[in-house]
Amino acid sequence: MAEAKNQSEHMFVEWAQGIQSDNYDVERVAELLKGLEREELHGLDVGGGIGRYAQLVCDQVPGCSMTVLDKSELAIETFVDDPRLELMSVDYFSFEPAQRYDFVIFKTVLHHFITDNEADTAALQQRALKKARQLLRPGGLLLIEENFYQGVMGDDLPGRLIFAVTRQRWIEDVVRRLGANTAGEGVRFKSLSSWSKMIGKENFALRSLVCSPTWGRKWPLWQRLPLISSGRFQGVLEARAKAAPNEQQPSYTPSRYSSALFNPPSILERVRHSWEKASQKLRWVLAVCALTGPLTITTCALSEA
Ligand SMILES: C[S@@+](CC[C@H](N)C(=O)[O-])C[C@H]1O[C@@H](n2cnc3c(N)ncnc32)[C@H](O)[C@@H]1O
């Protein structure tokens, strides 16, 4: 187990070192923070690794500084040198700062908050969101970058299956070769609607979702089928801490988000939609046949004569 953890820590560091300023998520987060129109902003990057991502966000947002929190010793040893960043080497769940933040970011971190079973894992992830709510100033932003896995039968089925498989230590090597950097430890991904329900419970209002233009879009059928999944994607989800009745609601321009993703259609609706699409195609084929059929017969008849 210790060796698996070590291996995944090294992979996290390598991965973070490769983050570029034009990554869609850096740009999106910077755009949202600039939209707050504050001269100074202080945020918290939970599980922020070596601080590279926070550094790139600060580069793009004037007046921005961040506290980067991570429990990995390797991340601390390789932490970037930047006066705008404060490193907190602590477990998120025991972090008790005196201050509150303008924004809290979880970048590909929430799915690492796991225990050895489903129920406690769900409770832990919920606790993480509750804590984020307490750490935010009124009107503060919660920014979540996650890999979302959408299920066909039971919206959250792919996440459950991935958790069950990635936790297994006896197939750790095989699972790692298939691409899971936390093989033997486990990860618990969720669908977009599952996260939205959990966020809603903590009095957050969802504002926007921007998806990665590349990640997860091309998913081969052989990978999709075993998870009975309709798709996966990576996105930056923006939620805002709702103000309590006696607090003043700061002005904010809501951005667009996909309601179809937040409220996935039921199986019946999907079947009806597929049927409608298929019958539409069939009508086109029949129309083309009706038009070209007599023409072909006439041409054949004429050429025979
Ligand atoms: C997938 S990495 C993401 C790192 C960084 N956010 C990035 O995208 O480059 C997950 C990080 O979360 C950290 N982490 C996991 N659980 C944590 C916890 N309970 N408290 C603090 N950090 C944690 C790990 O040490 C690791 O650096």
Side-chain angles (χ1 to χ4, degrees):
M1 186 72 174
E3 203 194 317
K5 250 194 148 36
N6 217 313
Q7 226 170 328
S8 58
E9 275 187 33
H10 273 94
M11 285 179 96
F12 291 156
V13 168
E14 266 174 45
W15 181 22
Q17 281 164 340
I19 304 174
Q20 303 294 322
S21 59
D22 60 352
N23 275 26
Y24 88 99
D25 47 359
V26 174
E27 289 182 342
R28 176 62 184 156
V29 165
E31 184 190 330
L32 291 168
L33 297 180
K34 281 193 260 184
L36 289 174
E37 292 176 359
R38 301 215 189 128
E39 276 180 21
E40 283 193 1
L41 276 171
H42 191 69
L44 175 71
D45 186 4
V46 181
I50 64 169
R52 170 81 179 141
Y53 176 78
Q55 185 177 45
L56 291 171
V57 170
C58 288
D59 284 347
Q60 296 193 18
V61 185
C64 183
S65 59
M66 279 159 90
T67 298
V68 179
L69 180 153
D70 206 292
K71 64 175 186 178
S72 149
E73 276 176 28
L74 187 64
I76 294 150
E77 282 163 23
T78 42
F79 198 77
V80 296
D81 183 16
D82 193 314
R84 296 165 302 183
L85 306 181
E86 173 198 31
L87 168 66
M88 292 301 296
S89 160
V90 63
D91 188 299
Y92 174 59
F93 295 96
S94 30
F95 180 53
E96 294 298 342
Q99 71 175 112
R100 294 288 169 265
Y101 298 90
D102 297 308
F103 61 96
V104 172
I105 300 184
F106 292 96
K107 180 181 174 287
T108 50
V109 168
L110 280 171
H111 59 260
H112 290 291
F113 292 157
I114 53 153
T115 68
D116 59 2
N117 66 71
E118 264 292 331
D120 292 346
T121 296
L124 188 71
Q125 292 177 335
Q126 190 73 52
R127 233 177 89 203
L129 296 171
K130 185 182 279 302
K131 190 168 177 105
R133 179 70 180 84
Q134 290 158 355
L135 291 173
L136 277 170
R137 297 210 169 100
L141 288 188
L142 171 69
L143 302 166
I144 296 178
E145 184 185 334
E146 262 300 314
N147 304 339
F148 300 93
Y149 286 78
Q150 309 295 112
V152 172
M153 287 189 291
D155 195 36
D156 218 14
L157 190 62
R160 275 175 183 269
L161 293 174
I162 291 170
F163 184 40
V165 172
T166 51
R167 282 174 52 207
Q168 302 303 324
R169 294 188 53 205
W170 60 285
I171 46 166
E172 190 181 316
D173 283 343
V174 182
V175 176
R176 197 179 296 280
R177 257 175 242 154
L178 285 173
N181 52 12
T182 49
E185 286 175 59
V187 272
R188 181 58 166 97
F189 294 111
K190 284 179 185 289
S191 66
L192 180 60
S193 59
S194 296
W195 283 122
S196 359
K197 274 183 212 142
M198 290 172 75
I199 289 165
K201 275 191 200 161
E202 303 309 332
N203 208 22
F204 281 109
L206 284 164
R207 307 300 294 227
S208 70
L209 172 77
V210 167
C211 300
S212 156
T214 49
W215 195 91
R217 291 304 167 96
K218 287 187 183 157
W219 201 5
L221 203 63
W222 69 267
Q223 273 186 19
R224 227 180 241 224
L225 282 180
L227 297 174
I228 321 174
S229 169
S230 61
R232 65 172 176 176
F233 61 92
Q234 194 169 62
V236 176
L237 190 148
E238 173 209 7
R240 183 168 170 221
K242 286 185 196 162
N246 58 346
E247 289 164 355
Q248 204 197 341
Q249 193 84 28
S251 67
Y252 191 82
T253 318
S255 32
R256 193 163 44 92
Y257 63 80
S258 161
S259 64
L261 281 167
F262 282 118
N263 307 300
S266 67
I267 293 183
L268 256 175
E269 280 168 329
R270 277 184 214 176
V271 170
R272 207 180 51 217
H273 183 66
S274 307
W275 168 248
E276 274 168 13
K277 264 179 37 191
S279 62
Q280 210 172 20
K281 274 192 192 143
L282 195 70
R283 277 201 293 271
W284 269 106
V285 172
L286 288 175
V288 171
C289 288
L291 278 173
T292 54
L295 212 77
T296 322
I297 292 167
T298 320
T299 321
C300 287
L302 283 175
S303 64
E304 267 174 31

